[in-house]
Amino acid sequence: MAQRPLKLVPQLMAILALAVITLAMWAAWLGWDQHRDVHPDGSETGPYEAWQVIGLVLTLLAPVYWAASRRYFAGAVLGVTAGLTAAAAYDWSDDSSGLYMVGVGMVMVGSLVVTGAVSAVIASVKTRTGSARQRS
């Protein structure tokens, strides 16, 4: 019984650490760009460019790998999901259409699914490489 709370503390710390890292990465990659591009036909795109979103995703792979390889699955999945959801909600809350919550929900579900899948793959690969090392 005494070890159970000790295992919970690292998971909670991983969740908090990854949420803070994710918020910082959102600010670094997406937070500064609030300009929408207006095209000649009057349509708008943006404010983010594809390279910014790709950079954010690639940057977040490192902390997800760190957490998943240490078996902090809750930290990897919930920390990144919470960070991205909070950042999107804050960043998009000034949307006048009122549809920003749909986008925030999509970010939440998408990041939950993707970080869960990536964490499972990392854990699977780490388990296989660990088993192979023990056999040799």
Side-chain angles (χ1 to χ4, degrees), residues 23-90:
L23 286 168
M25 291 298 102
W26 180 287
W29 284 102
L30 305 177
W32 55 270
D33 189 0
Q34 300 299 316
H35 175 67
R36 293 193 172 274
D37 299 322
V38 180
H39 300 285
D41 64 356
S43 64
E44 292 183 0
T45 58
Y48 315 123
E49 299 292 331
W51 65 267
Q52 291 172 287
V53 178
I54 292 168
L56 174 64
V57 169
L58 293 176
T59 305
L60 287 175
L61 281 176
V64 168
Y65 176 82
W66 173 85
S69 65
R70 285 160 180 76
R71 303 248 182 237
Y72 298 144
F73 300 115
V77 176
L78 299 178
V80 171
T81 300
L84 287 176
T85 303
Y90 177 78

Side-chain angles (χ1 to χ4, degrees), residues 4 6 10 14 16 26-27 30 60 97 105 122 134:
R4 192 164 179 94
L6 295 177
L16 181 61
W26 180 287
L30 305 177
L60 287 175
S97 71
I122 291 168
Q134 288 177 354

Side-chain angles (χ1 to χ4, degrees), residues 1 5 12 14 27-28 37 41 48 61 68-70 73 83-84 91 95 99 101 115 128 136:
M1 272 296 203
L12 292 174
D37 299 322
D41 64 356
Y48 315 123
L61 281 176
S69 65
R70 285 160 180 76
F73 300 115
L84 287 176
D91 200 17
D95 179 43
L99 291 175
M101 284 308 292
T115 55
R128 286 186 197 162
S136 5

Side-chain angles (χ1 to χ4, degrees), residues 109-127:
V109 171
S111 61
L112 187 66
V113 169
V114 171
T115 55
V118 168
S119 295
V121 168
I122 291 168
S124 172
V125 169
K126 291 292 278 188
T127 301

